[in-house]
Amino acid sequence: LEADPIEFFDAVLAVGGACGSTAWVLSVLAVHNWQLALFDLEAQEEVWGADNRVLIASSYVPSGSVERVDGGYELSGRWHFSSGCDHARWLFLGGVVPRDKDAPPPPDMRTFLLPESDYRIEDNWFVAGLAGSGSKDIVVEQVFVPEHRTHRFADLLAIDSPGNSVNTSPLFRVPFGGIFLNGVSTPALGVARGALAQFVESSRTRVMADKSPADVDAFTQLRLAEVTASLDGAYLQLAANMAEMVTLAERCDKPTLKRRARYRWDAARTTRIATEAVDAVFEASGGRAIFDSNPLQRAFRDVHAMRGHFNNNPEKAAQVYARAELGFPNKEFLL
């Protein structure tokens, strides 16, 4: 449909209010389909030629080995945290191509595209949070990946990928970081919204331990007001950033690296805001919040699992933005 990104993220928010794991898998896998449209056309046709509903999972951290061979690359190793991999028929794996001795930095980081026949899923996903995401390990043993099934991060950073010549919608000129980073932060905002809704509903009829009704409990009311405002602020920032990126893409302009560093910081900060919001309503809900039957305990576990994602680290993202604002050289791929 090539819809506006904020429409997609609104859907992720709605799903996240009901189930964090479902929202996480929806968001991550959909971002992969968006990225596949930036690959060489031959790769797109391999994946979508027979069935355009095929899904792609991923593990971007370059934890395996990459060797140059005739016509492409050979991959081996183990990659972790491949969310939704059981539903996918293809896989994105991150890897660094060995450089020639005289090649200038930065390293040649790429996404490698593999069919399900080329990897094995190891079921080691026994976790406290995001249990339903199925983010299992991927094992690859000396698999050949042709050149056309790779995607250079340098092309993503330049917003000039092979797929841009065939997929010309402004959607595909939005920076990769703007889509991917919000893809792993927006589910947390959805979980926090769901936790707030649950807190509001339960607080209407809650009777405190001292038998006083909720309408005289100033602590509960203050938490509700503060959390509502913080979550609304995070959403408004998300919507404003998406609108800015789309407007620039429609004009065939590119946001500066400084703005893109700010998008990254805003995305990571959203996860921090969401985590703090869930903590606040969980704390204010009393002892009943810890029961398995209470949705708040799952929201608490899921949002903390999301916060653990590398790109949801607000301290790291703050440094990326501050370096850009201060004029220091950029060292980031995901912008």
Side-chain angles (χ1 to χ4, degrees), residues 19 35 37 41 63 71 99 112 120 128 158 191 197 214 241-242 249 254-255 264 279 299 307-308 316 321 323 332 334:
C19 176
Q35 187 188 353
L41 180 60
S63 56
R99 292 191 302 163
F112 295 83
R120 173 170 56 86
V191 169
N241 287 349
M242 285 295 129
K254 300 176 183 179
R264 175 166 183 177
D279 287 352
R307 168 61 182 81
K316 172 65 174 176
Y321 169 64
R323 285 182 60 85
E332 295 298 312
L334 285 175

Side-chain angles (χ1 to χ4, degrees), residues 13 15-24 128-132 185-199 227 231 271-283 285 288-308:
L13 288 168
V15 174
C19 176
S21 290
T22 305
W24 183 265
L130 288 182
S185 66
T186 303
L189 187 58
V191 169
R193 280 184 166 187
L196 175 60
Q198 174 67 23
F199 179 64
V227 168
L231 295 182
T271 308
R272 185 176 72 183
I273 290 170
T275 304
E276 291 172 347
V278 173
D279 287 352
V281 298
F282 186 84
E283 181 182 273
S285 295
R288 290 291 173 184
I290 65 173
F291 281 79
D292 286 343
S293 59
N294 193 319
L296 283 179
Q297 53 80 26
R298 178 160 53 89
F300 179 89
R301 292 184 287 109
D302 286 350
V303 80
H304 278 273
M306 293 175 184
R307 168 61 182 81

Side-chain angles (χ1 to χ4, degrees), residues 35-50 90 113 147-151 161-168:
Q35 187 188 353
L36 182 61
L38 301 175
F39 269 70
D40 185 280
L41 180 60
E42 186 177 355
Q44 297 181 47
E45 291 174 338
E46 283 184 76
V47 177
W48 287 326
W90 290 77
L113 174 65
E147 182 73 35
H148 73 271
R149 281 205 257 120
T150 74
H151 190 195
S161 295
N164 286 124
S165 62
V166 291
N167 295 312
T168 57

